[in-house]
Amino acid sequence: MLRTFADLTKFGIVVFSVLAGLAGYVTGFQVEESFNWKEFLEVLLGIYFISSGSLALNQVQEWKLDQKMPRTAKRPIASGKIKPAAAGILSVSFIFVGLNLLFNLEPVAGWVGLFCIFLYNVAYTMYWKPRWVFAAVPGAIPGALPVTIGYAAANSNIFNSESLYLFLIMFLWQMPHFWVLAVRYKEDYAKGGIPTLPVALGMEKTLFQIGLYTFVYVGVALAAPMFVHASWMFVLLTFPFAFKVMQEFYRYYKSNGTERWMAFFMWLNVSMLVFIVIPVIDKWNFLFIHSN
């Protein structure tokens, strides 16, 4: 039962969302303010509940589509492990709890959370994804907003450079992240009638787009000092991970997308976490330096 719940709420993705929200909250937190553990935990729970609820609701919306694709046919609703109505009640309940927590903490965080759910479960799932080859681009907006929700809970000024940097890293990361999977599971998407890049435009154009967004993603990471406070930690962590991402992309590209897809995919994911954690370390390392 626990495995079914984890699969329904896509626990692995939710962990990424919560970690992003954590990075956003700690980056947005003002040094002069006193830390509140209750508020901190409520932020993480709020992001956990809206992410879990939104992802579960997506499976309620797409369970018939999931049955058509081997990669998704074993999902809880598609495989008959749980009824769509039961999953729907759970997902809506989770969304309600999560939004309630966020709105009570900081209205801006609640509104960003609501906007995130609307974009993912309405705009992306119902309109962009089944109709548009480049649906992943606007679809990356809700995927990037958990870090903004976390930031908003600590600092309602979400349009400053710190918040923008965190959002851009998560936004740009998602296109190569998704399109690598779309290449790997091209036949599945074709069976489901989803017009992803490799299905609709072929490998050459897909690899070009993956490369384009990877370059911009790495470029924003290297330009972090323009957005956030950066010190020696920036050089120590950013450059090696940026180099490794580009190296793995080159290997992936040279093989025409047939080799080392998992290495490129994993380095993308790890680098994203590193790039959003660096501002946190740089902002708060004085606590550790001072204690020594």
Side-chain angles (χ1 to χ4, degrees):
M1 188 63 185
L2 188 61
R3 177 61 184 271
T4 300
F5 173 78
D7 289 343
L8 177 65
T9 58
K10 298 183 181 177
F11 183 72
I13 298 176
V14 171
V15 169
F16 263 85
S17 296
V18 172
L19 289 175
L22 170 61
Y25 180 82
V26 179
T27 303
F29 195 84
Q30 301 302 301
V31 175
E32 63 273 11
E33 294 184 7
S34 58
F35 186 78
N36 186 321
W37 278 104
K38 180 176 180 292
E39 178 183 278
F40 174 72
L41 292 175
E42 287 177 349
V43 171
L44 299 187
L45 284 173
I47 294 172
Y48 167 79
F49 278 113
I50 67 165
S51 298
S52 297
S54 181
L55 290 166
L57 182 59
N58 172 259
Q59 289 195 48
V60 174
Q61 294 172 291
E62 295 188 332
W63 68 272
K64 291 184 180 179
L65 173 63
D66 286 342
Q67 290 179 329
K68 298 178 182 179
M69 300 189 292
R71 183 174 70 90
T72 58
K74 294 182 180 180
R75 286 177 175 173
I77 304 176
S79 62
K81 294 177 182 177
I82 185 171
K83 298 293 184 182
I89 292 171
L90 177 69
S91 63
V92 172
S93 300
F94 270 36
I95 289 171
F96 176 80
V97 171
L99 287 176
N100 187 57
L101 284 168
L102 294 175
F103 270 109
N104 285 336
L105 282 170
E106 170 53 58
V108 174
W111 285 114
V112 175
L114 186 60
F115 183 56
C116 179
I117 293 165
F118 171 79
L119 285 181
Y120 182 62
N121 293 107
V122 180
Y124 176 73
T125 300
M126 298 175 65
Y127 295 99
W128 297 334
K129 181 179 177 179
R131 294 175 174 84
W132 191 20
V133 174
F134 285 92
V137 179
I141 298 174
L145 286 177
V147 74
T148 307
I149 295 170
Y151 192 93
N155 184 348
S156 60
N157 180 19
I158 60 173
F159 296 107
N160 62 37
S161 61
E162 276 187 336
S163 179
L164 179 62
Y165 168 79
L166 295 174
F167 173 83
L168 283 175
I169 286 295
M170 288 206 67
F171 172 77
L172 293 166
W173 157 75
Q174 286 177 88
M175 269 65 77
H177 168 90
F178 173 74
W179 285 328
V180 167
L181 288 177
V183 170
R184 178 69 176 83
Y185 298 104
K186 177 182 176 181
E187 298 305 320
D188 281 42
Y189 284 108
K191 290 177 182 178
I194 304 300
T196 57
L197 269 181
V199 173
L201 301 182
M203 278 300 299
E204 183 178 347
K205 291 183 178 179
T206 300
L207 289 172
F208 172 80
Q209 292 294 328
I210 291 174
L212 176 64
Y213 279 95
T214 300
F215 271 96
V216 179
Y217 163 69
V218 169
V220 170
L222 293 175
M226 298 174 60
F227 298 89
V228 298
H229 176 269
S231 65
W232 57 271
M233 190 62 68
F234 164 76
V235 177
L236 184 65
L237 292 178
T238 304
F239 281 87
F241 278 91
F243 172 79
K244 191 61 181 176
V245 168
M246 294 308 303
Q247 182 185 53
E248 290 301 336
F249 167 71
Y250 176 76
R251 293 171 174 173
Y252 178 70
Y253 179 81
K254 289 293 287 184
S255 73
N256 199 37
T258 59
E259 297 177 8
R260 297 191 66 83
W261 77 271
M262 179 57 77
F264 177 47
F265 181 76
M266 293 306 298
W267 276 106
L268 276 170
N269 294 343
V270 173
S271 69
M272 184 274 290
L273 291 176
V274 170
F275 294 158
I276 65 174
V277 166
I278 290 172
V280 175
I281 298 174
D282 273 332
K283 184 172 185 175
W284 296 99
N285 68 53
F286 73 91
L287 293 175
F288 304 100
I289 295 173
H290 184 267
S291 65
N292 291 332

